[in-house]
Amino acid sequence: MKSENYSVYDGTAVITLNNPPVNAMGHAVRLDLMESLEASWADPHVHSIVIMGAGKLFCGGADVKAFNTPASRAEPSSRTIIKKIEESRKPVIAAIHGYALGLGLEFAMGCHYRIAHQSAKLGLPEVKLGLLPGGGGTQRLPRLTGVEAALRMIIEGNPVGAAEALEMGLVDEVATGELLPAALHFAARVSTRDEHPVVSRRQAQPPIEANWFKNQHEKIAATQKGLPAPLECLACIEAAVTKPFDEGMKFERERFDVLVNGTQSKALRHLFLAERAAAKIAGIPANTPVADVRTVAVIGAGTMGSGIAMSFANAGIAVILLEAKQEALDRGLAIIRKNYERTVSRGRLAPEEAERRIARIEPTLEFERLADVDMVIEAVFEDMDIKKTLFRKLDALCKADAILATNTSRLDVNEIAAVTTRPTSVIGLHFFSPANVMRLIEVVRGKLTAPEVIVASMAIARKIGKLPVLVGVCDGFVGNRMVAQYAREAEFLLEEGTTPQQVDDALKKFGLAMGRFAMSDLAGLDISWSSRKRQAATRPSHLRYSKVADQLCELGRFGQKTGAGFYRYEEGNRTPIPDPIVQKVIEDCAREAGVERREIDDAHIVERCIYALVNEGAKVLEESIVQRSSDIDLIYVNGYGFPAWLGGPMFYADTIGLDKVYERICTFHEQHGVFWTPAPLLKKLAEEGRTFKELSSGASPA
Ligand code: NAD
């Protein structure tokens, strides 16, 4: 046996799954494993077999990239290997450290025994990719743990720790010391037994409660909003109880095949891979040294600053919170405390932990406290002059290698950087509101931002549990630049014949978390009003412009905060109520603009709003503001409530077909003019019969 992943210790063969970074069970790994198993069965000196993972974990699961390809089922398939293991007279023991996830855990359940290190985590996260565990997980787990525990683990998709796994019957032993010696000891002990347990030969116990499956079905159908995977998981678990093992496996395979070929799972897998791709930065080698950001200061304790400070405190990082005035500082700290108290009262955080987190935030009014920090994040008013003054002061005070970041929503990061003597140290970190909750950060690379600054910023963002996506400088960066197109079309649609409610309902039915106008009322209409007033003088007069939002602001309707915006709100209630006053404003604006109102259906609303995003997204991609189309999808799904099961606007356009999308955009261009000028990249891809995704997997957008 030549494989470097095979060795024998005192009669126990040790086979290592070795496929960095997560030992995914790709075809090569399965071939190597099968070969090692054959060798151990053939060797008369081997009495038992231990399977381990190389590096930091046992196995992270199947190779997600290989789904829907012949390689995923090429022999030896995981089913074939498990079948052979079950027939083995020599005991096969899975020794689990780090993680055993998905196919990794399914594989471990196919072994006779499982021993886990005390820090190990075991889980079946397939549901998060719109799938079910298709390697026998839905049939073996209920046989080991009972249906209740199995359903919870499979439907939630979250891993359990070793101690819980032991209690559930998922593992046979927990090792507190080093895993390999414990596994060898365990193997020697069980090798003398005449027979070894085979999970598939056990009977899955039916639930105690009558109608349990029916009740669970209702519960899941009510909470999963039409997503098919959770109900399919339940159906498979029921099959584990009602059908013989082989039939249950057949059923699981059939259901898995339906899901894996469905658009929803493809979209979720696209986003899963998109997150990994977002960490890669073209032109910056993976081995670029990453400076450790240990101390952070946030300037401004307003809406964003306080949330940003909490994000660091939550991750165990000390943060200085600087304000200009004592009252503002007190207000910010009170918001922070209230936020933590709410989490504690919901039972999601221990009171002592909340206190520890609050204690990590050092409030100050003294600018000099920022002299030694590794990173400063500015979150003061959105005003170029204020920001420039601040960055000049930071430049004069902060240590030479400090990162100077701005949380601006749309100001030019290059212009801010230019007032300093070190523009290479300046970067945008565009957090989303509420910053302590939202995962997305647009990391805005300035013209001169140094690679080391980008890498360190991405790393610290990930360290605090965020999802950083690298973008370039342009008005509104990626998310806000695109959303402006969408918002404009939604407002035009009002004048053309719809109501805020009709537009919002159509977008919500499409899958968006919130409609355009309810969202606007939540965020407040006054902020964009003041920027529109600033732009009024330079706005080209020949371009169509909807005055609806301006008129509502003139009436003092700033959204929820004033009890009225595009809708009205009753005291203490956030439910939007259609308002005849708004309808009148819309009709007056339409008349004044000479727009004839007509019947508009939901499909048209969705196309106008979503294709506006796609067309702008294509321009963003073409201008290399992002590295790949999947970065845009991540931004939209994680920052703007775009449904994950549609994969993001660019993936969605790919699934519709870029030729069809392009054709509609051309029609809108004819009907509505310059706003709909088709993105040249979209035209090119449509004509070549290609997709945005194909671009992402290699070719440069240029
Ligand atoms: P805010 O008005 O709630 O808070 C700004 C805070 O900065 C105030 O407390 C003010 O006292 C303080 N401040 C002003 N000048 C200061 C100075 N020189 N030194 C110290 N403190 C000073 O504003 P916000 O909504 O938190 O926005 C802050 C920044 O974040 C803006 O650039 C904004 O565009 C951006 N942003 C906002 C959102 C959002 O949804 N609110 C989202 C992303 C980014």
Side-chain angles (χ1 to χ4, degrees):
M1 180 68 215
K2 287 190 295 302
S3 170
E4 60 192 31
N5 301 317
Y6 183 84
S7 41
V8 179
Y9 297 84
D10 244 354
T12 300
V14 175
I15 302 173
T16 310
L17 305 173
N18 191 355
N19 182 20
V22 297
N23 302 328
M25 281 251 180
H27 188 220
V29 173
R30 297 199 303 273
L31 274 173
D32 193 45
L33 174 61
M34 195 66 239
E35 205 180 301
S36 299
L37 283 166
E38 301 280 8
S40 60
W41 287 322
D43 185 344
H45 303 296
V46 166
H47 56 62
S48 52
I49 301 152
V50 165
I51 301 177
M52 298 190 73
K56 288 191 185 150
L57 78 171
F58 178 71
C59 172
D63 182 353
V64 177
K65 281 197 185 124
F67 279 131
N68 300 80
T69 69
S72 70
R73 297 227 172 119
E75 291 293 345
S77 69
S78 53
R79 287 188 180 215
T80 306
I81 301 174
I82 291 175
K83 201 151 192 290
K84 294 230 161 132
I85 288 176
E86 290 185 335
E87 286 161 6
S88 164
R89 295 181 62 85
K90 299 178 184 179
V92 181
I93 299 118
I96 300 166
H97 75 296
Y99 282 90
L101 295 178
L103 190 57
L105 178 57
E106 293 179 290
F107 187 78
M109 289 192 284
C111 296
H112 300 112
Y113 304 97
R114 284 150 299 282
I115 170 167
H117 187 260
Q118 60 177 352
S119 63
K121 297 222 184 298
L122 301 86
L124 294 172
E126 285 84 347
V127 75
K128 297 189 179 180
L129 298 181
L131 295 172
L132 54 82
T138 66
Q139 303 306 294
R140 288 195 176 83
L141 188 62
R143 284 175 160 80
L144 278 167
T145 68
V147 289
E148 288 91 347
L151 181 69
R152 185 166 41 83
M153 222 172 129
I154 291 174
I155 292 253
E156 289 174 6
N158 297 326
V160 296
E164 193 178 346
L166 182 68
E167 210 173 296
M168 290 164 77
L170 178 53
V171 300
D172 302 282
E173 196 171 294
V174 172
T176 47
E178 257 191 73
L179 184 61
L180 181 58
L184 292 175
H185 190 253
F186 184 94
R189 225 168 56 224
V190 296
S191 66
T192 56
R193 294 185 188 166
D194 295 335
E195 269 194 72
H196 304 291
V198 171
V199 177
S200 64
R201 293 184 199 139
R202 286 166 70 155
Q203 187 65 43
Q205 292 308 311
I208 303 163
E209 187 191 316
N211 293 331
W212 187 81
F213 282 109
K214 188 168 162 285
N215 295 341
Q216 293 301 320
H217 190 285
E218 280 168 16
K219 223 159 95 185
I220 295 167
T223 53
Q224 299 296 324
K225 295 190 206 142
L227 293 183
L231 284 174
E232 295 287 13
C233 291
L234 179 70
C236 289
I237 292 174
E238 187 166 11
V241 175
T242 54
K243 295 179 194 289
F245 182 77
D246 287 345
E247 278 183 40
M249 288 293 278
K250 207 164 141 253
F251 184 77
E252 181 193 90
R253 161 69 44 96
E254 282 164 16
R255 305 322 303 159
F256 180 85
D257 285 348
V258 170
L259 292 176
V260 85
N261 289 308
T263 339
Q264 295 195 350
S265 172
K266 284 184 186 156
L268 295 169
R269 269 142 49 206
H270 161 72
L271 292 170
F272 175 84
L273 295 172
E275 286 203 15
R276 273 134 201 89
K280 299 191 186 109
I281 307 166
I284 302 187
N287 60 2
T288 302
V290 186
D292 201 8
V293 173
R294 281 196 220 111
T295 48
V296 176
V298 175
I299 311 182
T303 312
M304 294 308 289
S306 44
I308 296 170
M310 285 176 74
S311 302
F312 284 96
N314 291 346
I317 298 172
V319 49
I320 295 171
L321 183 58
L322 175 77
E323 253 297 342
K325 294 195 204 88
Q326 187 64 47
E327 310 88 81
L329 191 56
D330 291 344
R331 203 167 44 238
L333 290 172
I335 293 172
I336 290 173
R337 180 162 283 281
K338 212 165 114 203
N339 271 332
Y340 279 122
E341 281 169 0
R342 198 174 317 128
T343 318
V344 169
S345 71
R346 288 182 185 159
R348 293 209 222 113
L349 190 69
E352 315 80 61
E353 177 56 19
E355 289 307 325
R356 270 196 292 275
R357 292 181 186 191
I358 291 171
R360 283 188 198 117
I361 301 173
E362 180 198 322
T364 186
L365 297 173
E366 283 171 45
F367 194 71
E368 287 63 35
R369 283 290 293 118
L370 273 47
D372 293 322
V373 294
D374 297 327
M375 176 182 249
V376 177
I377 302 173
E378 162 281 309
V380 305
F381 304 128
E382 184 77 337
D383 180 300
M384 186 52 106
D385 290 338
I386 297 182
K387 297 216 195 253
K388 280 184 176 170
T389 309
L390 194 58
F391 271 76
R392 275 191 204 101
K393 280 174 71 185
L394 289 171
D395 188 26
L397 175 78
C398 293
K399 63 177 185 179
D401 57 352
I403 296 175
L404 308 181
T406 168
N407 182 48
T408 179
S409 309
R410 50 187 342 126
L411 297 177
D412 185 342
V413 175
N414 292 326
E415 202 179 325
I416 297 174
V419 302
T420 70
T421 58
R422 40 170 138 171
T424 49
S425 302
V426 177
I427 194 163
L429 287 181
H430 182 213
F431 286 73
F432 285 68
S433 178
N436 53 315
V437 177
M438 299 288 282
R439 267 182 86 218
L440 180 67
I441 301 180
E442 284 182 329
V443 176
V444 190
R445 165 190 213 160
K447 225 178 23 240
L448 298 174
T449 311
E452 300 76 37
V453 171
I454 297 173
V455 171
S457 301
M458 301 278 283
I460 186 72
R462 275 192 294 272
K463 194 166 168 190
I464 62 171
K466 302 290 185 189
L467 171 62
V469 180
L470 188 64
V471 304
V473 176
C474 62
D475 185 21
F477 312 126
V478 174
N480 286 341
R481 169 173 164 178
M482 284 169 65
V483 91
Q485 313 298 316
Y486 156 94
R488 182 200 63 229
E489 288 306 309
E491 282 175 37
F492 285 171
L493 283 163
L494 290 183
E495 292 181 340
E496 289 169 31
T498 61
T499 63
Q501 195 181 20
Q502 192 197 345
V503 173
D504 281 0
D505 285 351
L507 293 170
K508 269 178 25 199
K509 258 189 253 151
F510 171 75
L512 291 182
M514 253 182 137
R516 149 78 180 111
F517 297 109
M519 183 68 216
S520 210
D521 278 359
L522 175 69
L525 274 61
D526 48 334
I527 298 165
S528 47
W529 188 37
S530 47
S531 67
R532 283 197 303 276
K533 280 194 283 196
R534 278 198 303 275
Q535 293 156 358
T538 54
R539 186 176 303 122
S541 58
H542 66 283
L543 290 183
R544 184 176 166 191
Y545 176 78
S546 169
K547 290 189 183 155
V548 174
D550 293 349
Q551 300 274 310
L552 294 177
C553 289
E554 300 279 358
L555 296 172
R557 300 176 71 111
F558 294 161
Q560 285 192 19
K561 61 177 123 173
T562 56
F566 284 100
Y567 298 92
R568 69 181 179 83
Y569 298 85
E570 277 169 2
E571 186 77 33
N573 193 330
R574 288 166 179 266
T575 315
I577 304 169
D579 191 339
I581 300 173
V582 176
Q583 205 48 35
K584 166 122 188 11
V585 169
I586 293 169
E587 284 167 20
D588 288 349
C589 286
R591 201 172 309 113
E592 195 192 320
V595 178
E596 202 172 317
R597 288 174 63 77
R598 62 194 157 93
E599 284 265 313
I600 293 177
D601 64 17
D602 288 1
H604 183 82
I605 294 174
V606 168
E607 281 187 343
R608 284 277 292 281
C609 294
I610 304 301
Y611 290 178
L613 288 178
V614 175
N615 199 33
E616 195 65 20
K619 292 177 187 171
V620 161
L621 195 54
E622 195 161 27
E623 291 167 26
S624 297
I625 298 293
V626 285
Q627 297 186 82
R628 44 188 93 76
S629 70
S630 62
D631 289 345
I632 299 177
D633 289 332
L634 282 181
I635 289 172
Y636 254 79
V637 169
N638 292 281
Y640 295 84
F642 198 95
W645 47 267
L646 291 178
M650 309 313 273
F651 182 87
Y652 172 72
D654 280 347
T655 53
I656 297 291
L658 295 190
D659 51 344
K660 295 201 185 74
V661 175
Y662 174 63
E663 199 188 305
R664 291 299 289 150
I665 288 177
C666 288
T667 307
F668 295 152
H669 188 210
E670 275 164 33
Q671 292 169 347
H672 303 283
V674 63
F675 290 126
W676 282 97
T677 306
L681 176 66
L682 175 64
K683 178 174 190 281
K684 183 168 178 278
L685 292 175
E687 285 169 356
E688 290 170 0
R690 295 168 70 204
T691 61
F692 289 124
K693 198 175 164 78
E694 280 169 30
L695 272 187
S696 311
S697 48
S700 122

